[in-house]
């Protein structure tokens, strides 16, 4: 009764039934259409949508058309229950459909309907084999028959092939490839190289619980590997130690240090470059700044210690050493160079996102799986999706036997193998489910000793695995597989297997998630077939040891002894609802803990998500906008305002104490060429006049550069600088946030809220980064010279994903600089 009142999935199912009835009524009239008339329906639907009809208005007719097209193309006619699932999926929900109920065919109806708006539909699978099977097989043929294009997105495609795939009405892809394409799109150097140009419109996720729950804590990471720049640290350190007092300026209050004009000249002489502030020298300048800070701002035995040839950070609050921690942005390596100890390789995370935040960016999201109800709360709270339990087409007649519980692993395995042998001798196919690879190897050895031929599969899904799983329903087949193996592939029963009782699924232990156990059970008893399932447990299983320990084992041993017949030659299993409840309770507790962990990860990642969206939007604007001069001017003005403000302190109503000398030092010879800022002029201006004067100098410099070169070349100059600066600082910021995330976890021991500290510090770091971006854009635009032969380059090259794939942006070919052409245009298109 309570379930009927509060189960949102039941309400959705109730609403779906009248719609499904209407689709059923259209079946005869749609069946009377010719192939040509059926195909023409797609264009008719598109026109009606453009004329104001909603997708909901078109759903009944569209589903009826797809249903008939499926019959003609594949011979499969979607059942009534599949219509219910398709309606639930279109509503942005999860259709829970048991194994063998035809989820793949069910998804065709909402995918077709949602493709009519021209924005594209992404169907997400757990592996490339399944994506290819649907896109290139008979499921893809249904779409093609109806006039829609179907694309396949896999790792080895070139950017041009990916663009073609993403332009299709229906795109089949893995979850990881979609996420990496999103990250790579915000690293490309030219707008034409972006592949997800239509954005993230609608996704239907197959095995939605696997992707959005099991993999939710795994972030997608593109990294640049280890930087090969130890020599640059050493060179920058030698340069810093060579400087005289007049070659640098230290601000004691802010603990910052910068080269003076004479220091800049010395740097250009030592490193044999013409302009330290040229865009090509951004990395060198970063290393010099770190070397300056390491040598003149940081002090040994105060800020850090050197112990056993390693630099260790000293916590400024406690005075204790922080082992395993490093200063970020290469400062730690600069200190190692200063102290002449081994310089560790600096690694870089270029881009990262979690599956949770990636899929929440879709305008509409839905999914399907055989097992989702146990995680319904998480789907509802995080993804705003209800789980709709779709009834089976035929009643489930599988026998789910009670668990067998033994005292030791040895007793359990022996009893399990006895059961397998007995069933194998009759010819009944058996699927042995394991939680770990180690368990599958143990069972394989035991089966080999008994002379039972079998196949062993692990969770590394590939084409051969799917084929073996598909044949696992034939007579005498014995298959050992991890509980997740073969998702998306039905185990169809071979000839004569029904009479033997169908497929027997035997679990070697319980998984910490009930959902995974249900998934394993669901491999048997599809479409009204007979089947059997049982789990074998022992008090030494990891799950039971975690929650019961030795005390539980001793009690089981005692009960087992009491229940065992004295004449029995083998240990007898225990069957009890009490034990089943204990196991179920342990699983629920672990599921709750895992949910809390995923929620915490999401809360932390949400901080970075907001920052990522701002930075990616800014980068996309620079990449795609024809003229970014207003963007650059805004950055210059923003930096001038932020740099001038601390040097003009309000001391009364409309009264300011202005430090003209500090303003002159800050801007003349740093932002502007020395001699540009008139000290006398500064003395004559008030708090409003000074920023206006500095901005006018900046505009004058920009107008001078514009006058020398064609508009296209000047705009490319601005884009090269802006992209390089944004990418450099964003990449550093990601690393900083990662280190901050690790650091704040220690705060909870001091009764502080680590999340609040992370949010506050993350905001401060982001604000600091945006100011630094404005500063560097302003500096490089005003100080850099425009030359003939520079082009856009990645900040980090040879980037790789944490899935093993490589970033596909090619390394640009370099052209040697002709230093005699200092004032010639420096940018050319590739």
């Amino acid at each position: 009764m309570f379930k009927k009142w509060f189960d949102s999935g039941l309400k959705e199912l109730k609403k779906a039934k009248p719609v499904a009835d209407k689709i059923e009524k259209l079946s005869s009239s749609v069946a009377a259409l010719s192939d040509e008339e059926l195909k023409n329906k797609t264009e008719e639907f598109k026109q009606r949508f453009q004329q104001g009809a909603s997708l909901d208005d078109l759903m009944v007719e569209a589903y009826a058309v797809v249903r008939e097209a499926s019959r003609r193309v594949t011979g499969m006619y979607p059942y009534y229950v599949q219509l219910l699932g398709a309606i639930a999926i279109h509503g942005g929900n999860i259709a829970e459909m048991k194994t063998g109920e035809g989820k793949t065919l069910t998804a065709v109806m909402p995918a077709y309907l949602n493709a009519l708006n021209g924005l594209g539909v992404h169907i997400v699978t757990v592996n490339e084999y399944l994506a290819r099977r649907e896109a290139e097989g008979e499921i893809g043929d249904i779409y093609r028959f109806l006039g829609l294009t179907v694309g396949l997105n896999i790792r080895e495609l070139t950017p041009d092939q990916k663009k073609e795939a993403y332009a299709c009405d229906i795109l089949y892809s893995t979850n990881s490839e979609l996420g990496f394409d999103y990250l790579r799109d915000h690293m490309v150097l030219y707008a034409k190289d972006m592949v997800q140009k239509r954005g993230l419109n609608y996704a239907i996720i197959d095995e939605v619980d696997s992707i959005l729950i099991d993999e939710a804590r795994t972030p997608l990471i593109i990294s640049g590997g280890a930087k090969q720049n130890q020599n640059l640290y050493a060179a920058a350190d030698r340069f810093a130690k060579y400087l005289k007092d007049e070659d640098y300026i230290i601000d004691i209050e802010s603990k910052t240090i910068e080269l003076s004009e004479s220091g800049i000249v010395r740097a250009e002489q030592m490193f044999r470059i013409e302009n330290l502030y040229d865009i090509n020298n951004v990395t060198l300048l970063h290393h010099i700044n770190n070397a300056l800070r390491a040598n003149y701002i940081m002090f040994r035995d105060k800020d850090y210690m050197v112990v056993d040839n390693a630099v260790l950070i000293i916590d400024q609050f406690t005075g204790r050493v922080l082992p395993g921690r490093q200063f970020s942005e290469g400062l730690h390596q600069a200190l190692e160079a200063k102290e002449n100890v081994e310089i560790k390789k600096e690694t870089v995370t270029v881009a990262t996102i979690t599956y949770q935040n990636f899929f929440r960016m879709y305008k509409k999201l839905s999914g399907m799986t055989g097992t989702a109800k146990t995680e319904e709360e998480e789907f509802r709270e995080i993804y705003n999706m209800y789980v709709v339990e779709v009834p089976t087409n035929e009643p489930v007649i599988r026998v789910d036997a009670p668990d067998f519980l033994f005292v030791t692993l040895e007793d359990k395995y022996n009893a399990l193998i006895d059961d397998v042998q007995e069933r194998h001798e009759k010819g009944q196919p058996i699927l042995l489910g394991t939680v770990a690879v180690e368990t599958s190897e143990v069972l394989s050895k035991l089966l080999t000793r008994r002379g039972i031929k079998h196949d062993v599969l692990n969770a590394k899904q590939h084409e051969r695995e799917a084929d073996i799983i598909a044949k696992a329903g034939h007579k005498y087949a014995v298959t050992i597989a991890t509980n997740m193996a073969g998702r998306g592939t039905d185990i169809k029963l071979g000839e004569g297997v029904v009479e033997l009782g169908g497929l027997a699924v035997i679990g070697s232990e319980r998984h910490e998630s009930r959902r995974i156990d249900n998934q394993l059970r669901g491999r048997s008893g599809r479409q009204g077939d007979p089947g059997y399932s049982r789990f074998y447990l022992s008090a030494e299983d990891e799950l039971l040891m975690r929650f019961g320990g030795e005390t539980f084992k001793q009690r089981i041993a005692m009960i087992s002894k009491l229940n065992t017949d004295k004449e029995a030659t083998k240990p007898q299993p225990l069957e009890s609802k009490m034990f089943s409840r204990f196991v179920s309770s342990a699983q629920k507790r672990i599921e709750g803990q895992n949910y809390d962990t995923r929620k915490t990860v999401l809360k932390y990642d949400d901080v970075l998500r907001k920052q990522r969206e701002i930075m990616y939007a800014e980068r996309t604007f620079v990449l795609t906008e024809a003229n970014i001069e207003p963007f650059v001017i805004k950055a210059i003005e923003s930096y001038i305002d932020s740099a001038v403000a601390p040097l003009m302190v309000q001391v009364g109503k409309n009264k300011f104490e202005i430090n003209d000398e500090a303003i002159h030092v800050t801007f003349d010879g740093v932002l502007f060429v020395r001699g540009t800022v008139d000290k006398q002029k500064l003395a004559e201006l008030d708090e409003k006049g000074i920023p206006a004067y500095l901005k006018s100098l900046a505009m004058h410099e920009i107008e001078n550069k514009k006058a020398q070169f064609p508009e296209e070349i000047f705009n490319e100059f601005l884009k090269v600088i802006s992209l390089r600066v944004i990418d450099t600082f964003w990449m550093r910021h990601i690393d900083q946030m990662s280190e901050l995330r690790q650091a704040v976890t220690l705060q909870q021991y001091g009764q502080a809220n680590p999340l609040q500290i992370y949010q506050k510090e993350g905001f401060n770091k982001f604000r600091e980064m945006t100011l630094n971006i404005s500063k560097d854009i302003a500096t490089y635009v005003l100080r850099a010279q425009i030359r003939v032969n520079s082009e856009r380059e990645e900040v980090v090259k040879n980037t790789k994903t944490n899935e093993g794939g490589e970033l596909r942006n090619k390394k640009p070919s370099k052209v040697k600089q002709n230093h005699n052409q200092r004032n010639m245009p420096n940018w050319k298109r590739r």
Side-chain angles (χ1 to χ4, degrees):
M1 183 177 68
F2 281 108
K3 187 174 181 180
K4 287 181 180 178
W5 284 350
F6 298 109
D7 192 327
S8 301
L10 278 175
K11 292 176 185 175
E12 293 293 320
L13 190 64
K14 191 175 179 181
K15 286 193 289 184
K17 286 180 177 177
V19 182
D21 292 339
K22 290 178 184 177
I23 299 167
E24 283 273 68
K25 287 178 183 176
L26 282 181
S27 58
S28 56
S29 60
V30 173
L33 298 174
S34 66
D35 282 1
E36 198 62 32
E37 288 171 327
L38 199 61
K39 292 176 182 179
N40 290 339
K41 280 289 182 181
T42 300
E43 197 54 43
E44 178 195 320
F45 293 148
K46 286 181 178 180
Q47 288 176 3
R48 284 165 58 185
F49 177 79
Q50 289 166 1
Q51 290 164 3
S54 69
L55 294 180
D56 287 346
D57 296 335
L58 299 172
M59 179 166 56
V60 172
E61 292 175 74
Y63 279 20
V65 165
V66 173
R67 207 179 184 203
E68 181 59 31
S70 174
R71 191 212 304 263
R72 297 185 191 186
V73 174
T74 69
M76 297 183 289
Y77 193 65
Y79 302 121
Y80 181 83
V81 291
Q82 287 173 292
L83 296 180
L84 296 177
I87 295 163
I89 290 170
H90 171 67
N93 297 309
I94 294 168
E96 182 180 278
M97 302 173 69
K98 303 301 178 192
T99 300
E101 291 296 306
K103 292 187 289 290
T104 304
L105 185 58
T106 300
V108 175
M109 290 177 272
Y112 171 82
L113 174 63
N114 284 270
L116 297 174
N117 60 17
L119 298 176
V121 174
H122 297 168
I123 301 181
V124 189
T125 67
V126 291
N127 61 58
E128 289 189 354
Y129 164 73
L130 293 174
R132 186 187 294 277
R133 185 187 73 181
E134 312 310 349
E136 297 178 353
E138 58 183 12
I139 294 296
D141 290 339
I142 300 173
Y143 299 116
R144 287 184 280 269
F145 174 82
L146 290 169
L148 297 183
T149 53
V150 182
L152 174 64
N153 180 36
I154 52 178
R155 185 177 300 167
E156 61 260 27
L157 298 184
T158 65
D160 285 340
Q161 289 172 322
K162 279 182 172 286
K163 277 186 270 187
E164 191 178 327
Y166 274 100
C168 291
D169 298 308
I170 308 291
L171 176 75
Y172 280 90
S173 176
T174 61
N175 48 321
S176 59
E177 203 57 27
L178 284 171
F180 283 129
D181 285 341
Y182 170 77
L183 293 177
R184 286 190 284 250
D185 266 3
H186 292 91
M187 294 169 63
V188 297
L189 301 177
Y190 295 88
K192 63 181 176 60
D193 293 330
M194 297 179 79
V195 297
Q196 291 180 350
K197 293 191 175 181
R198 288 191 295 185
L200 304 173
N201 175 47
Y202 177 43
I204 301 174
I205 306 176
D206 191 11
E207 306 298 354
V208 67
D209 55 323
S210 173
I211 292 171
L212 295 188
I213 302 291
D214 299 328
E215 297 190 43
R217 284 182 289 176
T218 306
L220 294 163
I221 298 170
I222 295 180
S223 67
K227 296 179 184 174
Q228 301 297 327
N229 51 11
Q230 283 90 333
N231 291 339
L232 200 49
Y233 283 112
D237 182 68
R238 284 195 301 271
F239 168 72
K241 286 172 176 167
Y242 155 80
L243 295 174
K244 297 177 181 177
D245 289 347
E246 63 266 22
D247 293 333
Y248 54 85
I249 303 161
I250 296 178
D251 186 328
I252 302 297
E253 189 175 332
S254 62
K255 285 193 173 182
T256 57
I257 183 170
E258 287 185 348
L259 290 174
S260 64
E261 186 70 20
S262 62
I264 293 170
V265 171
R266 282 182 184 271
E268 290 172 345
Q269 289 173 346
M270 181 169 178
F271 293 100
R272 298 179 183 178
I273 55 177
E274 291 194 18
N275 184 358
L276 181 61
Y277 288 92
D278 191 286
I279 188 69
N280 292 322
N281 299 324
V282 64
T283 304
L284 173 62
L285 183 60
H286 174 63
H287 281 77
I288 288 173
N289 286 337
N290 269 338
L292 290 173
R293 195 172 169 202
N295 279 279
Y296 301 110
I297 300 289
M298 310 284 287
F299 298 98
R300 183 169 177 168
D301 296 330
K302 177 179 178 290
D303 299 297
Y304 65 94
M305 291 172 60
V306 178
V307 180
D308 295 332
N309 204 36
V311 172
L312 303 177
I313 299 175
I314 297 176
D315 190 321
Q316 295 304 297
F317 298 99
T318 66
R320 294 174 180 169
V321 170
L322 299 173
R325 291 269 302 279
Q326 286 193 21
F327 291 109
S328 61
E329 297 187 35
L331 178 59
H332 205 90
Q333 285 75 10
L335 287 167
E336 289 168 336
K338 170 190 174 182
E339 298 296 341
N340 199 29
V341 301
E342 181 190 355
I343 301 174
K344 297 183 181 71
K345 289 183 179 179
E346 186 184 355
T347 56
V348 174
T349 296
V350 182
T352 179
I353 193 170
T354 61
Y355 284 122
Q356 289 168 313
N357 273 327
F358 173 69
F359 282 108
R360 291 200 306 170
M361 288 192 294
Y362 276 89
K363 294 171 189 169
K364 182 176 172 182
L365 189 64
S366 59
M368 50 193 178
T369 182
T371 48
K373 203 65 180 175
T374 56
E375 316 290 348
E376 183 171 30
E377 182 187 354
E378 184 166 353
F379 281 120
R380 191 170 60 249
E381 285 193 14
I382 293 178
Y383 303 103
N384 195 30
M385 292 191 287
Y386 294 123
V387 177
V388 181
E389 289 181 278
V390 179
T392 55
N393 184 50
E394 298 285 347
V396 177
I397 59 171
R398 181 185 65 240
V399 176
D400 293 328
D403 297 350
F404 272 171
L405 179 63
F406 294 85
V407 179
T408 67
L409 282 172
E410 185 182 2
D411 291 345
K412 177 183 78 170
Y413 287 147
N414 287 334
L416 185 152
I417 298 299
D418 286 344
D419 190 0
V420 170
Q421 186 168 19
E422 186 181 327
R423 293 176 185 278
H424 179 64
E425 286 171 357
K426 292 190 301 182
Q428 185 177 17
I430 301 155
L431 177 67
L432 269 172
T434 67
V435 170
V437 174
E438 293 85 349
T439 311
S440 66
E441 290 171 351
V442 169
L443 292 176
S444 178
K445 287 176 184 176
L446 292 173
L447 288 173
T448 302
R449 284 178 196 166
R450 301 273 186 108
I452 301 172
K453 188 179 177 183
H454 60 280
D455 286 305
V456 181
L457 296 172
N458 55 35
K460 294 176 182 176
Q461 297 182 339
H462 48 71
E463 193 165 337
R464 180 179 170 272
E465 176 176 339
D467 287 343
I468 292 174
I469 283 286
K471 293 172 185 173
H474 294 182
K475 262 189 174 183
Y476 297 101
V478 177
T479 311
I480 303 175
T482 58
N483 292 2
M484 298 292 286
R487 270 195 124 155
T489 307
D490 285 340
I491 300 178
K492 295 178 181 177
L493 301 186
E495 192 175 334
V497 171
V498 170
E499 292 77 13
L500 295 171
L503 176 70
V505 171
I506 298 176
S508 63
E509 62 185 293
R510 286 282 194 172
H511 194 275
E512 63 180 34
S513 168
R514 290 169 296 162
R515 188 167 39 81
I516 307 301
D517 289 341
N518 293 339
Q519 182 77 27
L520 177 63
R521 264 203 170 115
R523 296 273 138 224
S524 173
R526 60 182 292 281
Q527 284 295 336
D529 287 338
Y532 172 86
S533 74
R534 186 190 291 273
F535 283 88
Y536 281 74
L537 314 179
S538 85
E540 293 178 344
D541 288 353
E542 185 184 347
L543 179 70
L544 299 183
M545 287 298 290
R546 275 175 70 180
F547 288 92
E550 281 298 324
T551 306
F552 178 76
K553 183 181 174 183
Q554 289 166 7
R555 287 177 182 170
I556 296 301
M558 185 175 67
I559 297 169
S560 178
K561 195 173 182 181
L562 292 171
N563 286 8
T564 302
D565 194 317
K566 290 180 181 179
E567 296 179 5
T569 57
K570 295 179 180 179
Q572 297 301 301
L574 296 176
E575 270 185 78
S576 168
K577 288 183 179 179
M578 180 184 73
F579 296 139
S580 297
R581 283 197 297 269
F582 177 81
V583 173
S584 182
S585 173
Q587 289 176 315
K588 285 178 183 177
R589 285 170 65 183
I590 294 175
E591 287 166 3
Q593 291 168 4
N594 290 340
Y595 178 32
D596 290 340
T597 302
R598 287 190 293 268
K599 275 206 297 190
T600 302
V601 168
L602 187 62
K603 285 175 183 175
Y604 278 98
D605 196 52
D606 273 346
V607 177
L608 196 59
R609 173 183 62 86
K610 292 166 187 172
Q611 297 176 357
R612 184 192 301 113
E613 287 172 359
I614 292 169
M615 292 308 300
Y616 280 3
E618 190 170 277
R619 192 185 191 279
T620 302
F621 176 84
V622 170
L623 207 61
T624 57
E625 196 69 15
N627 178 21
I628 66 160
E629 188 180 333
F631 168 82
V632 170
I633 290 171
K634 184 179 177 184
I636 293 171
E637 290 179 343
S638 174
Y639 169 62
I640 290 172
D641 287 336
S642 63
V644 166
L647 305 175
M648 300 189 303
V649 182
Q650 189 166 0
V651 293
K653 190 176 181 181
N654 298 326
K655 288 186 178 181
F656 287 80
E657 192 176 276
I658 300 173
N659 190 336
D660 294 326
E661 180 65 32
I663 293 172
H664 189 264
V665 169
T666 299
F667 290 95
D668 197 52
V670 181
L671 185 63
F672 301 104
V673 175
R674 182 166 290 284
T676 302
V677 182
D678 188 334
K679 195 182 287 189
Q680 185 66 37
K681 180 86 171 174
L682 284 176
E684 297 169 0
L685 296 170
D686 62 9
E687 73 280 358
K688 292 180 181 177
I690 289 175
Y693 167 62
L694 294 171
K695 289 173 186 177
S696 70
L697 292 178
M699 286 306 302
H700 179 70
E701 179 62 26
I702 287 175
E703 292 300 325
N704 277 346
K705 280 188 166 70
K706 278 178 69 177
Q708 296 177 48
F709 307 105
E711 185 179 339
E712 183 186 340
I713 291 174
F714 178 71
N715 197 53
E716 180 68 6
F717 164 72
L718 298 182
K719 286 195 174 197
V720 168
I721 287 172
S722 299
L723 286 172
R724 189 66 178 266
V725 170
I726 289 170
D727 288 350
T728 300
F729 278 101
W730 175 242
M731 186 180 67
R732 292 180 201 162
H733 181 72
I734 290 171
D735 267 355
Q736 281 188 319
M737 293 297 284
S738 174
E739 289 170 6
L740 176 64
R741 171 77 175 87
Q742 294 167 16
V744 297
T745 53
L746 300 173
Q747 299 294 328
Q748 57 195 334
Y749 297 112
Q751 305 302 311
N753 185 323
L755 179 59
Q756 287 180 354
I757 295 170
Y758 181 77
Q759 289 169 332
K760 182 182 176 182
E761 288 299 314
F763 174 76
N764 291 337
K765 285 181 179 294
F766 184 73
R767 186 173 58 183
E768 181 185 344
M769 178 194 68
T770 54
L771 288 173
N772 284 333
I773 287 173
S774 296
K775 177 184 178 182
D776 273 27
I777 288 176
T779 304
Y780 287 121
V781 166
L782 297 177
R783 293 293 299 266
Q785 300 293 323
I786 303 179
R787 300 179 188 166
V788 288
N789 51 9
S790 286
E791 47 188 34
R792 305 183 197 178
E793 289 187 29
E794 301 96 333
V795 172
V796 174
K797 300 178 181 65
N798 300 324
T799 44
K800 293 183 179 180
T801 68
N802 60 347
E803 296 266 327
E806 292 193 358
L807 183 67
R808 296 172 179 82
N809 290 333
K810 291 182 180 177
K811 183 176 179 179
S813 56
K814 290 194 175 182
V815 183
K816 289 184 179 179
Q817 292 189 2
N818 182 344
H819 295 291
N820 294 324
Q821 296 176 309
R822 175 163 184 153
N823 295 317
M824 294 294 286
N826 191 24
W827 323 109
K828 70 172 184 178
R829 294 274 182 179
R830 278 186 293 176

